[in-house]
Amino acid sequence: MTEIKKDDTGAVRISDEVLMVISATAATEADGVLRISGKPGRKQLAKCTSVAVKNKTVTIGLSIAVRFGAKIHEVSADVQKRVKTAIETMTGLSVAEVNVRVNAIVGEKSKPKA
């Protein structure tokens, strides 16, 4: 649990799971990303990323499956940018690193002949 604010009105804390869901959701919005860590479904998003927070600075790790034919370096850079922006905008925390691991390339399913 990361405390982002504490004053005389109370404290605001964000769980690591929330940071994971923000990261995974932002990553799946990048063109060419098919899924996070090969597991579809919102419940799996939090289980498919890693988050480390130290002194209000976040390090994120993501594993993604990329569409065949996509430029992996461009997709990865887009994921990094989207995740960094989402975390910083939504939480006020600073993002030190977004580490992307491409663990699958997925092609289109073959279409049956008519």
Side-chain angles (χ1 to χ4, degrees):
M1 187 77 64
T2 302
E3 188 169 283
I4 61 170
K5 176 189 160 230
K6 185 173 184 178
D7 59 23
D8 58 338
T9 60
V12 177
R13 294 182 184 91
I14 299 175
S15 73
D16 288 350
E17 184 176 72
V18 168
L19 296 173
M20 291 176 187
V21 171
I22 292 169
S23 300
T25 302
T28 56
E29 292 174 353
D31 187 38
V33 174
L34 296 178
R35 60 185 174 256
I36 301 298
S37 192
K39 296 180 181 181
R42 183 168 286 277
K43 288 183 180 180
Q44 293 297 324
L45 292 180
K47 297 178 183 175
C48 302
T49 59
S50 65
V51 172
V53 182
K54 186 175 182 180
N55 299 325
K56 296 188 180 182
T57 302
V58 183
T59 300
I60 305 289
L62 294 164
S63 293
I64 61 174
V66 175
R67 177 182 39 81
F68 181 81
K71 295 179 181 178
I72 294 172
H73 63 286
E74 290 177 5
V75 172
S76 298
D78 190 26
V79 167
Q80 290 172 317
K81 180 181 173 186
R82 287 174 184 270
V83 170
K84 179 177 173 55
T85 299
I87 291 289
E88 290 180 345
T89 301
M90 294 178 74
T91 67
L93 297 170
S94 177
V95 176
E97 295 179 0
V98 178
N99 299 306
V100 177
R101 177 180 177 186
V102 178
N103 68 351
I105 299 291
V106 181
E108 292 183 37
K109 293 181 181 178
S110 57
K111 297 177 184 175
K113 296 181 181 180

